Structure formats: C-alpha cells, structure tokens
Amino acid sequence: MFIETIPNRGSPPAVLLREAYRDEHGRAQKRTLANLSKLPVDLIGGLKALLKGGTVIGTGPDEIQIERSLPHGHVAAALGTIRRIALDRLILSTTKDEASRRHYDLVVAMIVDRLIAPRSKLGFVRAVDQETAISSLGSVLRLGKVKEREAYEALDWLVERQARIETGLARRHLQDGVLVLYDVSSSYFEGRCCPLARYGHSRDHRGDRPQIVYGLLCTREGLPIAVEVFDGNTADPKTLSSQVQKIKDRFGISRMVLVGDRGMITSARIRDDLKPAGVDWITCLRAPAIQALAAENGPLQLSLFDDRDLAEISAPDLFPGERLIVCRNRDLAAERARKREDLLAATEHELARVQAQVQRKHSALRSSAQIGIAVGAVLDRKKMAKHFDVEVADGYLSWQRRIEQIEEEARLDGIYVIRTSIPAGHLDAAEAVQAYKDLSRVERSFRSMKTIDLEIRPIRHWTAQHVRAHVFLCMLAYHVEWHLREALAPLLFHDTDLEAARGERTSPVAKTEPSEAAKAKKATKRSADGHHVMSFDALIAHLGTLVRNTMRVPLHTKHRFMLHSTPTSVQEAAFKLLDLDPLRVQ
C-alpha cells in the first residue's frame, strides 16, 4: 500500500490510499482503497512514514526522551581543524596496523581534550569513557572503553614519532632562507621522581619546586614547529646547539636566520655554534656591551637620537662583520625610569625598617655581621646593590644613593641594540628590528601553553619519556590552536588588520597601535558582521553549547537517533569561518 496525491485542477488535490496489484494478464495495476483527503496533513505524513517502514513518534511528553546530551561544538571545531590541516595524517603516517590506529585515535583525542578542557591523563580517560563522558569526543572517535594504561601507551607511541612529525611540520612551514624564532621557558614539577626535574631559574617564580626547561622553535608568524625538553638546570645558551643541528641536519635547511633574545644568542654561542654551522642570527646586546659602545669615544652617541629613534652603527673591533642597529624607545625609557625610582624608593623603605630595628633598644641586630646580612637580603631582593653606598658598623647603619651611577644608567634608558649578521642588502634595519620584536609571538605561545589555554603545568609525570611526550602533546595542541585562532580571528579580539597598523607607524621602534577595526571591536564588543566577539577560551566554551543529543522512543526501545541543538548565530559564523559542518565531523 502507498499514499498518492492526485492533482485536481483548481480544487485541493485528492489524497488516496492505494494498493498495487497485477491483473489476469500480468500487467501492473493499482486500486484505491480509501480517500484520505479530509484527514489532517500531519496524520497523512505519519501514515506515509508507517507505510514506508518507519516509526512515528507522538507529540506527548512520554513519546520521546533524551537519553544522553553531550557538548559537541568545541569537539567538532578542534577535530575538524585537525582534519583540515592534515595533522592527523602526519601523526599516523603510513603505519596503519590495529595497535597504531588505536594509539593514533587516543593521541588525537588527547590533543582535542587539551584544547577544550586541559586535565590530567586520568581525567582524560574519565572524560571520554561512555559512562562518565563530558563531551562527544569519545563517541565521535568511537574510542569505546579507554583504560588509563592505554593513554600512557599512546604517549609512548607519540614520543617515538616526534622527530618524524616535527620533520613533517618543518617541510610544510619552513624552507631555505627562512627566519626561525627560538625561545626557552620552564615549568615546575609536582614531585621529585623524574630525572629531568632539577632546581634552576624558575620563570614561574616557583623556586621551591624542581622544574624542566624546554625550547620552542616557531615560524615568524608564531606557529610552533618543534619542541625539545632539557634538564631543569640547563642554561638557555646551552640549548642552542641542538636546535641548530636539528634545523640543519634533520629538517635539511641549509640557509636560515635564527632569532633569539640576548640571553640566548651570546657571543660564545655565535662563536662556537652559529658561525661554524653557517647560520645567520638576529639578537640583542646586553647592557654592559651597550655601555661600552656608549663610552665617551664610542660609536654610540646619544646625539644620533635627537630627531630619530633608529640608527645603524658599526663597531668592527668589538663585533667584526656584524651590523648593529641602535633603537631608542621613549615610552620604554619612561617606563624604566619609573620602575627604577620605584625600586629605589622601596629599597630605601626596607633599609629604613632595618635601621629602625638596629636603633631599637635590646635589638637582635647589633653586630655589623648581623646588620650586613639583613641589608644584603634587602639589596639582593630588589637588585639595587649597585645604586647604594651602605655603611655598616656595630649598632650603626647608614646609606646613600650613588647619584652618578644612577644618572649614567638612566642616560641609556630606552636604548637597545639589535645585533645581526645579515647583510643590509638582504634585510634592512627596519626589517631586522621588526624580526627581533616578533619574538613576542613565541612568548605568546608560551603563555597559551602554560597558563591561558593548555595548562602544561604543573607536570606530574614520573618518567622522562612521559614528560617529553606531555610537552610535545601540548605543542601539537597549540599548533592546532594557532590555526583555530587564525580562522576565528574575526570573532575574537584579535587585530585582523595588524599589518596595516604596522604600516602606519613612523618607525618600527614605535609601539604598534591597534587598527581601527580592532578599536571598533573592543569598543562595541561586536565584529564587523554584528556578532559578539570574545576571548578564545570563551568562544570555545560557547561552541561547546552546541549539543549532541541521543534520542530514544520508549515504545520502540531499539530505535535511537541523534539530534543536534540548533546553532546560535555566533556558532554558525564560527563554523563558516572554519569551513566545517559540525554534524559531519568524524
């Protein structure tokens, strides 16, 4: 049986219930069993579905139930981006045995989970388990039951392929003559079992905890390519040689420019690592070297900056074959002067407190040795010992500022000197300055990896292999995040007209002011298309409100289907920018 609609000229069409049969000659015929024209439209639609073998669901509260509701939009955005940039194919490569596919699925799941809600590996296992799932990630990737042991095995599998994956990323994003950014950071440990954990200079201000050090290689745009983990007490310059070897030998790049800060690319590293490898560099001079250049008969004369903020000088005796580009940032000079005065005042306040203790009757601070220890602690804490003359005796303390020394230091406030081996014909002074300032993009990567989005710390793994895998996993997650931020920039507070804003500066030394588009977004909290703009983590959380519902019909217990919530206008705009259909991401 079937329902057929018959046109009826100017009258409403006739809706007939018919049956197909064959006559005595074997010819196909059909006959009308009933006229359904006067039945309601929705009832006719239900009859059609039944006749086709479907299930008709009523409209009452007990006719359909939501069996499970899981956040899905953020999973679709992250997983779809991994597919779009082909990171998944790079991770799996040609190894496609069953065990490798399982490890690969878990690695991709951990990358997505790190992006949407950073947590421990045990937390990840619970987050993707069917019983305790908090997103659609486990069901979309069909992970099934995941054991904690499997997560660690997948980490071991990943770190064994780190070199191949990084080489693949380098082939995609680096080429001969490229400019590479490199910087180092550290993260503290919980526990002391890992052999990499050592006490060292803590950038997290957690001197009470052992730590690891890791170096990040990025493209000039800030896209991470490779990461390497070192012992926690490794000095920054000691990490440089392995990076040069990695880029030259493993990545096969013969010509490159390495950009690093003044604490990284030192004269010793240039002499021992960069020059022998034929690598060019861009870095900055330390304060003592700048003071030597600014000596009475030195090449750095402050009169050069009466009407400009950038000048190129040469010092063949001190830096043979190198270019020196001197910059003066007046805003930076004002900030350093303010900070110095605040530190001087704070130091004097602390010294006055020690002096009051010394002068108090029956004070414990009586001997010159005891007073010296207390004064030394104050000066060391504020790093102001060079600016004070202190006189200590038994029961006596006095001090005064070294005015001439302070004025000599203030004379160079706002001055920094870019040091590079690249000839002017290949990179002019303005481009060299901007290349050095682009190191801030690596700092942005560290902020996202450590605190804002991915939370690489605190590190709780015990073995060196798991620590390296954890850091590499976080780098891959930021690699995906970088692509997400680039695509979603119109919906974020990002400045989408940054290059135009840079072009409006009078000098590369000057601070880049936000473009008009960025100012408008900040003022109105709306994009050019009228959508709400927000931070990256807020947008990811909002995408997560696009929910995947598992629906169940009580009268037909085997009949289940997926029903997604209706996307908001911001979600529609986000997935349009990502060029993804969240319902089809698998």
Side-chain angles (χ1 to χ4, degrees):
M1 288 187 294
F2 59 93
I3 293 176
E4 187 174 16
T5 302
I6 307 298
N8 196 8
R9 295 186 180 179
S11 302
V15 182
L16 306 176
L17 177 64
R18 289 186 161 180
E19 180 184 44
Y21 71 97
R22 292 187 180 275
D23 60 16
E24 63 273 11
H25 302 293
R27 289 175 297 190
Q29 302 288 344
K30 54 186 175 183
R31 53 175 167 252
T32 301
L33 301 179
N35 189 332
L36 309 178
S37 302
K38 293 187 177 181
L39 292 179
V41 176
D42 55 348
L43 182 55
I44 293 173
L47 288 172
K48 285 183 178 180
L50 285 171
L51 292 173
K52 290 179 180 180
T55 300
V56 179
I57 301 172
T59 58
D62 296 327
E63 301 291 342
I64 185 171
Q65 296 177 353
I66 301 176
E67 185 176 88
R68 193 71 182 273
S69 184
L70 294 172
H72 173 69
H74 48 10
V75 172
L79 186 57
T81 300
I82 290 175
R83 305 278 193 251
R84 179 169 56 83
I85 64 177
L87 181 61
D88 55 336
R89 294 201 296 270
L90 184 59
I91 293 173
L92 185 60
S93 186
T94 57
T95 307
K96 297 180 181 179
D97 58 277
E98 185 176 348
S100 293
R101 283 191 173 277
R102 178 63 172 175
H103 294 325
Y104 150 79
D105 286 337
L106 289 172
V107 166
V108 171
M110 283 190 279
I111 292 173
V112 175
D113 188 65
R114 178 67 47 177
L115 279 165
I116 63 178
R119 67 188 101 241
S120 67
K121 301 305 177 289
L122 176 59
F124 160 76
V125 170
R126 292 170 179 166
V128 297
D129 185 86
Q130 185 176 0
E131 184 179 355
T132 57
I134 57 177
S135 74
S136 64
L137 179 59
S139 58
V140 168
L141 290 175
R142 299 180 180 87
L143 295 180
K145 186 70 175 179
V146 179
K147 300 178 181 178
E148 187 177 0
R149 168 185 53 79
E150 289 184 291
Y152 286 101
E153 289 174 352
L155 285 179
D156 294 336
W157 179 87
L158 175 66
V159 77
E160 289 171 0
R161 287 152 180 80
Q162 178 174 352
R164 179 182 56 75
I165 295 170
E166 290 177 343
T167 302
L169 292 175
R171 286 199 191 101
R172 292 179 180 183
H173 303 287
L174 301 179
Q175 61 278 333
D176 260 1
V178 73
L179 190 149
V180 181
L181 308 179
Y182 178 65
D183 205 354
V184 166
S185 190
S186 62
S187 290
Y188 63 87
F189 262 83
E190 296 292 345
R192 296 176 174 80
C193 296
C194 180
L196 295 173
R198 296 285 188 275
Y199 288 97
H201 170 60
S202 176
R203 295 164 178 82
D204 300 332
H205 306 289
R206 292 300 303 268
D208 60 324
R209 292 280 191 274
Q211 64 176 17
I212 59 167
V213 169
Y214 47 94
L216 189 66
L217 279 172
C218 295
T219 67
R220 186 169 183 176
E221 294 73 29
L223 177 65
I225 300 298
V227 69
E228 186 170 351
V229 179
F230 304 92
D231 290 344
N233 58 357
T234 305
D236 292 3
K238 293 293 184 181
T239 68
L240 195 62
S241 60
S242 62
Q243 309 309 308
V244 174
Q245 183 179 7
K246 181 188 302 181
I247 298 172
K248 298 281 288 188
D249 298 340
R250 194 203 302 170
F251 298 167
I253 296 175
S254 58
R255 296 182 301 108
M256 67 170 180
V257 180
L258 192 65
V259 185
D261 64 25
R262 68 194 76 192
M264 178 76 61
I265 302 180
T266 62
S267 295
R269 299 280 65 79
I270 290 173
R271 181 189 66 242
D272 298 339
D273 298 328
L274 301 185
K275 282 187 176 180
V279 175
D280 287 311
W281 65 88
I282 299 175
T283 186
C284 199
L285 292 183
R286 290 176 173 271
I290 296 176
Q291 291 170 354
L293 292 174
E296 184 175 353
N297 297 319
L300 201 171
Q301 300 299 316
L302 297 183
S303 59
L304 292 170
F305 302 99
D306 291 341
D307 54 0
R308 57 180 172 174
D309 56 10
L310 185 148
E312 189 163 345
I313 63 174
S314 62
D317 294 337
L318 297 175
F319 305 99
E322 298 181 29
R323 296 166 59 205
L324 301 177
I325 304 163
V326 185
C327 307
R328 182 166 194 175
N329 187 319
R330 288 171 173 76
D331 293 335
L332 178 61
E335 175 62 18
R336 285 184 175 174
R338 182 199 62 80
K339 186 178 291 186
R340 182 191 302 106
E341 183 57 37
D342 288 348
L343 287 171
L344 289 170
T347 302
E348 289 181 322
H349 177 77
E350 292 294 319
L351 289 175
R353 183 181 59 80
V354 175
Q355 187 182 55
Q357 286 182 297
V358 171
Q359 295 173 348
R360 191 179 303 137
K361 287 185 178 181
H362 309 297
S363 172
L365 291 177
R366 300 303 301 171
S367 70
S368 59
Q370 292 173 322
I371 299 171
I373 292 173
V375 169
V378 171
L379 296 177
D380 182 63
R381 186 162 57 249
K382 304 296 182 182
K383 310 299 181 187
M384 288 286 108
K386 59 185 177 181
H387 292 322
F388 285 95
D389 284 321
V390 180
E391 186 177 351
V392 174
D394 290 342
Y396 177 79
L397 169 62
S398 68
W399 71 89
Q400 63 179 358
R401 293 187 182 186
R402 296 176 178 173
I403 303 300
E404 291 184 2
Q405 202 277 338
I406 293 172
E407 290 178 348
E408 180 64 21
E409 182 181 271
R411 190 171 68 95
L412 296 177
D413 280 350
I415 295 285
Y416 60 94
V417 181
I418 305 297
R419 175 187 186 186
T420 180
S421 61
I422 309 173
H426 292 85
L427 196 73
D428 64 26
E431 291 172 332
V433 172
Q434 186 57 58
Y436 183 78
K437 293 174 73 173
D438 283 341
L439 271 176
S440 61
R441 291 171 173 170
V442 188
E443 292 295 333
R444 191 178 306 125
S445 302
F446 284 135
R447 283 197 300 274
S448 291
M449 289 175 61
K450 293 172 66 171
T451 57
I452 301 174
D453 303 317
L454 305 177
E455 296 183 11
I456 195 173
R457 65 187 187 194
I459 301 170
R460 299 181 175 90
H461 298 287
W462 288 16
T463 68
Q465 187 174 16
H466 286 164
V467 170
R468 291 190 172 97
H470 170 73
V471 174
F472 183 50
L473 184 79
C474 290
M475 189 218 81
L476 292 177
Y478 184 72
H479 186 92
V480 179
E481 180 181 322
W482 186 93
H483 286 280
L484 280 167
R485 286 179 177 271
E486 287 293 300
L488 297 172
L491 296 177
L492 305 173
F493 285 105
H494 292 11
D495 193 341
T496 54
D497 293 332
L498 182 60
E499 292 304 320
R502 283 180 173 178
E504 294 177 358
R505 294 177 301 175
T506 58
S507 166
V509 179
K511 179 183 177 181
T512 303
E513 296 296 330
S515 67
E516 293 302 321
K519 291 178 182 177
K521 281 203 293 187
K522 186 175 181 180
T524 63
K525 307 297 187 292
R526 297 271 181 174
S527 67
D529 296 331
H531 298 296
H532 285 282
V533 294
M534 55 193 77
S535 63
F536 178 77
D537 57 337
L539 181 56
I540 292 296
H542 177 67
L543 292 179
T545 63
L546 179 62
V547 177
R548 186 182 189 187
N549 300 294
T550 304
M551 312 301 292
R552 180 169 64 91
V553 182
L555 295 178
H556 304 273
T557 55
K558 295 183 179 180
H559 184 68
R560 288 174 173 79
F561 60 95
M562 293 295 174
L563 182 65
H564 293 79
S565 60
T566 303
T568 66
S569 61
V570 174
Q571 290 168 347
E572 287 182 340
F575 284 109
K576 185 177 180 180
L577 291 170
L578 293 171
D579 193 23
L580 294 174
D581 181 354
L583 277 59
R584 296 180 180 274
V585 172
Q586 296 294 333

CSV table of all heavy atoms in Angstrom, one decimal, residues 89 141 280 333-334 378 394 412 555 566:
chain,number,residue,atom,x,y,z
A,89,ARG,N,46.9,12.9,9.6
A,89,ARG,CA,47.6,12.1,8.6
A,89,ARG,C,49.1,12.1,8.9
A,89,ARG,O,49.8,11.1,8.7
A,89,ARG,CB,47.3,12.5,7.2
A,89,ARG,CG,45.9,12.3,6.8
A,89,ARG,CD,45.7,12.3,5.3
A,89,ARG,NE,46.1,13.5,4.6
A,89,ARG,CZ,45.2,14.5,4.4
A,89,ARG,NH1,44.0,14.4,4.8
A,89,ARG,NH2,45.6,15.6,3.8
A,141,LEU,N,34.9,9.7,18.0
A,141,LEU,CA,36.1,8.9,17.6
A,141,LEU,C,35.9,7.4,17.9
A,141,LEU,O,36.9,6.7,17.6
A,141,LEU,CB,37.4,9.4,18.4
A,141,LEU,CG,37.9,10.8,18.0
A,141,LEU,CD1,39.0,11.2,18.9
A,141,LEU,CD2,38.3,10.9,16.5
A,280,ASP,N,72.9,32.4,10.1
A,280,ASP,CA,72.8,33.8,10.4
A,280,ASP,C,71.9,34.0,11.7
A,280,ASP,O,71.2,33.1,12.0
A,280,ASP,CB,72.2,34.6,9.3
A,280,ASP,CG,73.2,34.8,8.1
A,280,ASP,OD1,74.3,35.2,8.4
A,280,ASP,OD2,72.8,34.5,7.0
A,333,ALA,N,61.8,54.1,27.8
A,333,ALA,CA,62.7,54.9,28.6
A,333,ALA,C,61.9,55.5,29.8
A,333,ALA,O,62.4,55.4,31.0
A,333,ALA,CB,63.3,56.1,27.9
A,334,ALA,N,60.7,56.0,29.6
A,334,ALA,CA,59.9,56.5,30.7
A,334,ALA,C,59.5,55.4,31.7
A,334,ALA,O,59.5,55.6,32.9
A,334,ALA,CB,58.7,57.2,30.1
A,378,VAL,N,68.0,42.7,51.7
A,378,VAL,CA,67.1,43.8,51.1
A,378,VAL,C,67.7,44.1,49.7
A,378,VAL,O,66.9,44.2,48.7
A,378,VAL,CB,67.1,45.0,52.0
A,378,VAL,CG1,66.4,46.2,51.3
A,378,VAL,CG2,66.4,44.7,53.3
A,394,ASP,N,78.9,48.2,64.2
A,394,ASP,CA,78.2,47.6,65.3
A,394,ASP,C,77.2,48.7,65.8
A,394,ASP,O,77.5,49.8,66.2
A,394,ASP,CB,79.1,47.3,66.4
A,394,ASP,CG,79.9,46.0,66.1
A,394,ASP,OD1,79.6,45.3,65.2
A,394,ASP,OD2,81.0,45.8,66.8
A,412,LEU,N,71.0,55.8,29.3
A,412,LEU,CA,70.8,54.8,28.3
A,412,LEU,C,69.4,54.1,28.4
A,412,LEU,O,69.1,53.1,27.8
A,412,LEU,CB,71.8,53.7,28.4
A,412,LEU,CG,73.3,54.1,28.1
A,412,LEU,CD1,74.2,52.9,28.3
A,412,LEU,CD2,73.4,54.7,26.7
A,555,LEU,N,8.4,3.5,23.3
A,555,LEU,CA,7.6,2.4,22.7
A,555,LEU,C,8.4,1.5,21.7
A,555,LEU,O,8.0,0.4,21.4
A,555,LEU,CB,6.4,3.0,22.0
A,555,LEU,CG,5.4,3.7,22.9
A,555,LEU,CD1,4.2,4.3,22.1
A,555,LEU,CD2,4.9,2.8,24.0
A,566,THR,N,20.0,23.5,17.9
A,566,THR,CA,20.1,24.5,16.8
A,566,THR,C,21.3,25.4,17.1
A,566,THR,O,21.3,26.0,18.2
A,566,THR,CB,18.8,25.3,16.7
A,566,THR,OG1,17.7,24.4,16.5
A,566,THR,CG2,18.8,26.3,15.6
